[in-house]
Amino acid sequence: MKKNKSKGLAFSWSDPTFRSIVYQIIVLGLVAAGVWYLVSNTMHNLQVRNIRSGFDFLGREAGFAIGESLIDYSPTDTYRRAILVGLLNTLYVSLAGIVLATLLGVVVGVARLSKNWLIAKLAAVYVEVLRNIPLLIQLFFWYALIVETLPGPRQAMHPMPGVFLSNRGLRFPFAQGESLTWIVAGVVGALLITLAAGRYLRRRQIRTGTQTALWPIGLALFILLPVAGFFFGGGQLAFSIPELKGFNFAGGASISPELTALLSGLVIYTSAFVAEIVRSGIQAVPGGQWEAAGSVGLSRRRALRLVVLPQALRIMIPPLTSTYLNLMKNSSLAVAIGYPDIVSIINTTLNQTGQAIEGILIVMAAYLTVSLSISLFMNWYNRRIALVER
C-alpha cells in the first residue's frame, strides 16, 4: 500500500497557503505602520505644544466638587479618587439599570403574549413607541418632567412620614451607626444561604421526591441574621430624618433628579428591547411544551414559570448580553443631564489638566473592562444552562 505523504509549504505564488500567509503579513505590517504613525505623530504634536504626557496628574489635587458620590470625596482629594467616584457612579447606575430593566422587560414581554387583547396591545404600544424614540430625547424628557413639574422644597410633596418629593429630588430617612454594616452583611448572608438552601432542596426533591417549602427558612434567615448583626455591631443604629432648613432639606438620604432621570430613561428604554427578547424567546419554545405542562395539571402561569421560561432562557441569553452591554455604554449619556459619571468627571479633568489623550484612554479602558466583565459573566451563565448532549 502507498502511504499518503503530506505536502509541505511550497514557496510558490500558486500555493494558496503561501498566498494567505503573505496577505496576512502584509495586513499586519500595514496595521503596525498605521499605529506607529499615529503614536509618533501624537507624541510629536505634544512636544511641539509643550504638553507633558503621562499619568502623573492623577496624584494632583482635583479641586472640583462632585454632586453625588458613593464614597467619601472632597475637592482636596486627587484626580485619581475623583475618577474612581465617576467609575463607581457608572457601575451603580448600570447595574441598577440592568436589574430593573430585566424585571420590567420580562413583565412587558409576557404581557405581549397575553390572551387579554387590551393588555397585549398596551404592551405592544409600549415596546414600539419607546424603542423608536432616541434615548437622549427620553433623558431630556424625564429630567424636564422632574425639574419643571415637581414643586420646590417648601411646597414638596409629602407622601409618607419623613419622605419628601420635590424638584431637588427624593428625600427619605436613612439609618446610620456602626450596626448598619453588620445588618447589611446579615441581609446579604441570608440571601446567599437562602439561595444555597433552595438549590439543595431542589436536588433533594429530584433525588428522593420529598418536597420542602423554602419560604419559612428564608423568612427566618432574613429576620434572625439582621437582628444578630444589629446586636453584634453594638446596637448602635439611628435614623436621620430629613428636615426643611432654608431653601433645601437637610438630613436623611436623597436621590437626585439627575440620577432619577438617568435611571428612568435607561430602564424604560432598555426594557422595551428586553421585552422583545423575552417575547421571541417564549415563542421559540415548541407549543407542545405548553400542552405537556397542561397535561400534568400545571396552570398556564406555572407552566410559564417552570417549563417554558427555563427553556426560553437558553435562547434569550445571547441577545440579552448585547442589550446589557448597550445599557452600560448608554449610561455615558449621563453627561447630557449633569449626572457625574466617569465621562463627565474625565471631561472636567482633561479641561483642567489638558491631558486629553490620557483621559480618553482611561475612559476607554474603564468601559472595555466593564464590558468584558459583563460578557464573561453572561457567557459563563450561558454555558452553565446550556443543554449537554449525551
Side-chain angles (χ1 to χ4, degrees), residues 4 34 82 85 109 141-145 206 232 235 258 262 289 311 336 352 364 372:
N4 294 327
V85 169
F141 169 79
W142 290 111
Y143 185 68
L145 184 67
I206 294 173
F232 191 80
E258 292 79 14
L262 177 62
Q289 297 296 316
Q311 298 181 64
Q352 291 185 354
M364 292 172 60
L372 289 178

Side-chain angles (χ1 to χ4, degrees), residues 180-199:
L180 180 61
T181 303
W182 292 102
I183 292 174
V184 173
V187 172
V188 174
L191 177 62
L192 296 176
I193 296 174
T194 302
L195 293 175
R199 188 174 181 180

Side-chain angles (χ1 to χ4, degrees), residues 263-321:
L263 199 56
S264 299
L266 288 174
V267 169
I268 293 174
Y269 178 77
T270 308
S271 66
F273 292 90
V274 174
E276 280 297 275
I277 294 171
V278 172
R279 179 192 62 81
S280 60
I282 293 175
Q283 290 183 327
V285 177
Q289 297 296 316
W290 291 97
E291 298 173 0
S295 66
V296 296
L298 292 179
S299 65
R300 185 173 177 82
R301 181 182 302 176
R302 290 177 61 86
L304 176 65
R305 183 172 64 89
L306 300 176
V307 178
V308 177
L309 274 181
Q311 298 181 64
L313 189 61
R314 300 184 178 97
I315 305 170
M316 295 188 294
I317 289 298
L320 278 178
T321 301

Side-chain angles (χ1 to χ4, degrees), residues 38-67:
L38 291 175
V39 172
S40 61
N41 187 54
T42 301
M43 298 303 296
H44 173 71
N45 291 331
L46 291 175
Q47 291 178 358
V48 170
R49 291 165 176 77
N50 293 323
I51 299 176
R52 287 185 58 188
S53 60
F55 295 91
D56 296 338
F57 71 95
L58 293 176
R60 302 207 301 263
E61 181 180 311
F64 61 88
I66 299 177

Side-chain angles (χ1 to χ4, degrees), residues 23-39:
Y23 288 146
Q24 293 178 55
I25 292 175
I26 293 174
V27 171
L28 288 175
L30 292 174
V31 171
V35 172
W36 175 83
Y37 172 76
L38 291 175
V39 172

